[in-house]
Amino acid sequence: MGADAGQLGFDLGVDVRPLPRVTPARLATWETCPRRFRMGYLDRPPPARGGAWAHHTLGAVVHLALRALFALPARARTPAAAADLLDRNWSSEGFRDAAQAGRYRRAARGWLASYVVDHELGDTASDPAGVERWVSETVGGGASRLAVEGRVDRIDTRAGEAVVVDYKTGRHVPTDDDARTARALALYAAATGAALHRPCRRVELHHVPTGDVAVWEHDAASMRGHLDAAHALAAEADAAAQALADGGDPETLFPPRPSPSCATCDVRRHCPEGRAAVASPQPWAFLRDLPEEGVA
């Protein structure tokens, strides 16, 4: 009693290695810069982070307002209600001054009001299957199985299938190709399908400032490609983390990878290579440009 298969001399062909557990953000950080990954996820205590960025604040406020909007009955989801929820959740962190914050607040009120109308979110609209829903599911098959977890902005149900919706507020207006190549959306789609027990192939990027919607419909091959790539990245990150725990050199295992993203890295102050790669921008430098007020 109590003897395991190895002790009895049997090889059952079972892979007992722990299943990689990932979030899209964690994978993206590892792929972008291993040093940032180490500082953000492994170092204890973690290093001090940088200050707020205005474009991040703006995105967070819009997300909060949309989450609150979908908590209302459909008939109450009016343009005025959306604008009011933007006001209730507003933050001026990272903006240059009150005047700049005020301009973006007024602009964002208009974005949300238009979004409600353009997407017919009120009156008799059906409720989403999930709003900022946390999903945590095992996905993939064979050697590429992994546990995916994360928070999905919105999950719609259309024609019996789930659709992953992700909100964007930045300068770049997403394209269908962005939706196709977005690994985070593919992982969310796989986890959402598993969580809801229904097909989930369509992913959408909703650019709230312009109302543009980028769309991609995954097939088995494209989804498998994303899952295989995610599994490989997760395995690399886990191996590096284990080597570090075993006494490996952090600089060798987690080298910096300077790129334009160093400009907004939250551990930039601790990375000489990142500071040398890109000049330090102002916290409001990455806000999307607004037309002059009063000009159509």
Side-chain angles (χ1 to χ4, degrees):
M1 295 292 291
D4 63 24
Q7 290 172 323
L8 294 174
F10 295 117
D11 180 2
L12 301 182
V14 177
D15 187 349
V16 296
R17 290 173 298 178
L19 196 67
R21 181 170 297 275
V22 303
T23 66
R26 188 180 176 100
L27 280 185
T29 302
W30 168 257
E31 187 172 23
T32 302
C33 181
R35 175 180 283 174
R36 184 178 183 182
F37 179 92
R38 172 178 61 80
M39 289 183 174
Y41 293 104
L42 302 179
D43 285 358
R44 294 294 180 269
R49 305 299 181 93
W53 293 93
H55 65 295
H56 288 167
T57 297
L58 182 62
V61 167
V62 168
H63 278 70
L64 288 170
L66 285 167
R67 181 178 67 181
L69 183 72
F70 281 104
L72 300 175
R75 65 181 180 278
R77 295 179 206 146
T78 64
D84 180 60
L85 289 168
L86 187 285
D87 284 341
R88 292 187 195 181
N89 289 283
W90 184 255
S91 170
S92 297
E93 288 190 48
F95 288 90
R96 181 180 57 220
D97 51 33
Q100 186 189 54
R103 286 192 67 213
Y104 280 88
R105 181 175 178 172
R106 291 187 291 275
R109 284 172 53 89
W111 300 343
L112 284 171
S114 296
Y115 187 78
V116 169
V117 174
D118 294 345
H119 291 267
E120 300 179 344
L121 301 183
D123 297 328
T124 59
S126 59
D127 290 332
V131 175
E132 300 233 358
R133 174 167 175 161
W134 181 264
V135 292
S136 181
E137 297 290 338
T138 299
V139 300
S144 291
R145 290 177 70 248
L146 72 164
V148 173
E149 42 186 49
R151 196 174 303 278
V152 185
D153 285 351
R154 196 173 91 216
I155 303 169
D156 289 348
T157 302
R158 303 178 202 160
E161 296 197 2
V163 177
V164 166
V165 173
D166 192 64
Y167 305 126
K168 296 297 180 185
T169 58
R171 285 179 169 178
H172 174 66
V173 179
T175 65
D176 290 350
D177 197 53
D178 292 322
R180 177 183 66 83
T181 59
R183 184 172 299 122
L185 295 190
L187 294 176
Y188 284 145
T192 295
L196 300 184
H197 304 288
R198 66 181 61 176
C200 184
R201 295 173 291 202
R202 183 182 174 97
V203 297
E204 297 181 352
L205 293 167
H206 289 206
H207 192 246
V208 180
T210 61
D212 285 27
V213 176
V215 177
W216 187 256
E217 189 102 9
H218 282 290
D219 58 19
S222 64
M223 186 65 76
R224 184 168 55 251
H226 277 294
L227 293 177
D228 287 350
H231 188 279
L233 288 169
E236 290 175 4
D238 287 351
Q242 185 59 57
L244 180 67
D246 292 340
D249 176 40
E251 295 303 316
T252 300
L253 294 167
F254 299 91
R257 193 171 292 161
S259 72
S261 66
C262 293
T264 56
C265 179
D266 52 4
V267 291
R268 172 187 173 89
R269 68 176 68 179
H270 308 287
C271 181
E273 291 87 348
R275 294 196 304 274
V278 186
S280 180
Q282 296 288 357
W284 54 86
F286 298 99
L287 289 165
R288 64 179 286 104
D289 294 332
L290 296 180
E292 291 298 323
E293 293 186 314
V295 177

